[in-house]
Amino acid sequence: MDTEKKPLRADARRNYDRLLDEARRAFAARGVEASLEEIARNAGVGIGTLYRHFPTREALVETVLRERFDEQAAAARELLKSPEPLKALEAWLAGLGKQSATYRGLPELMADVLDDETSPLYASCHAMQDGVSHLVERAKAAGELRADVTAHELLVLLHALSWAGEYLSGDKGLDRLLDLVFAGLRVS
């Protein structure tokens, strides 16, 4: 059985691209719970077209964020070369925290799907968990990170911090929360 997707016709490709552009705008303005009907309408297509390309909200969110997920995975691989394992882990988590805080509602959605194997976001979340696992283990092996910390806990905590950062005043809300958490993760 052929598992490769057929290339989209030109008109279907335009619809797909317009839907993604409108989704990015809607998510930026109203968060990941933005109206799918409005996204389809603003893209100039019917809701059926949106669902043909993206059968669920999570599938649309995953596609919108796929490039960012790939960048985070690449960053984890690059940071494994750092001579300072804990600083590398902190840098990766800070980058993911900023990504998670991009769209209102995204941290909650990401935390929800960490254990939901049926979600289109599950594979992306676990690819990131695999990436951060190597950074976590490296920092533990260097004696810089508490031995009882897991990558899964850090991801859940990070999503919670990204959500909470929305409620602190100023642009440094998330950075301040991350600093507090990192201080508690270090081996004294």
Side-chain angles (χ1 to χ4, degrees):
M1 180 172 166
D2 185 22
T3 59
E4 288 187 35
K5 288 184 178 182
K6 289 172 37 176
L8 294 174
R9 295 182 330 260
D11 62 328
R13 185 74 198 158
R14 280 190 303 273
N15 290 342
Y16 179 88
D17 291 340
R18 283 196 312 254
L19 284 164
L20 287 177
D21 289 342
E22 286 303 323
R24 286 182 189 101
R25 278 192 274 283
F27 293 163
R30 291 174 292 292
V32 294
E33 291 300 319
S35 166
L36 297 181
E37 290 82 6
E38 184 179 327
I39 291 169
R41 186 174 49 253
N42 290 342
V45 301
I47 191 69
T49 299
L50 182 142
Y51 282 119
R52 247 188 320 282
H53 289 291
F54 309 102
T56 65
R57 176 180 302 278
E58 290 173 5
L60 179 57
V61 171
E62 194 279 334
T63 304
V64 165
L65 296 175
R66 186 173 301 134
E67 185 176 305
R68 292 177 183 184
F69 290 150
D70 292 345
E71 289 169 2
Q72 281 301 123
R77 289 188 298 275
E78 191 61 33
L79 286 166
L80 282 171
K81 302 173 190 173
S82 170
E84 301 178 85
L86 186 60
K87 285 190 186 227
L89 174 62
E90 290 173 354
W92 189 87
L93 289 169
L96 182 60
K98 286 178 177 66
Q99 295 283 344
S100 292
T102 302
Y103 300 129
R104 189 176 61 254
L106 184 59
E108 298 97 321
L109 180 61
M110 298 296 286
D112 285 345
V113 302
L114 280 175
D115 295 317
D116 180 3
E117 294 181 23
T118 65
S119 169
L121 286 164
Y122 180 82
S124 296
C125 288
H126 276 268
M128 279 192 268
Q129 187 166 313
D130 289 344
V132 75
S133 292
H134 297 295
L135 292 168
V136 165
E137 293 309 315
R138 191 165 170 259
K140 284 181 187 180
E144 297 176 347
L145 181 67
R146 291 175 37 174
D148 62 336
V149 175
T150 69
H152 183 78
E153 290 169 336
L154 287 179
L155 287 177
V156 171
L157 182 59
L158 181 70
H159 294 311
L161 293 176
S162 296
W163 171 82
E166 293 178 18
Y167 298 95
L168 293 176
S169 60
D171 294 338
K172 299 294 181 188
L174 177 60
D175 291 335
R176 171 69 179 141
L177 293 175
L178 286 169
D179 287 345
L180 291 170
V181 168
F182 293 153
L185 293 173
R186 291 183 189 102
V187 172
S188 318

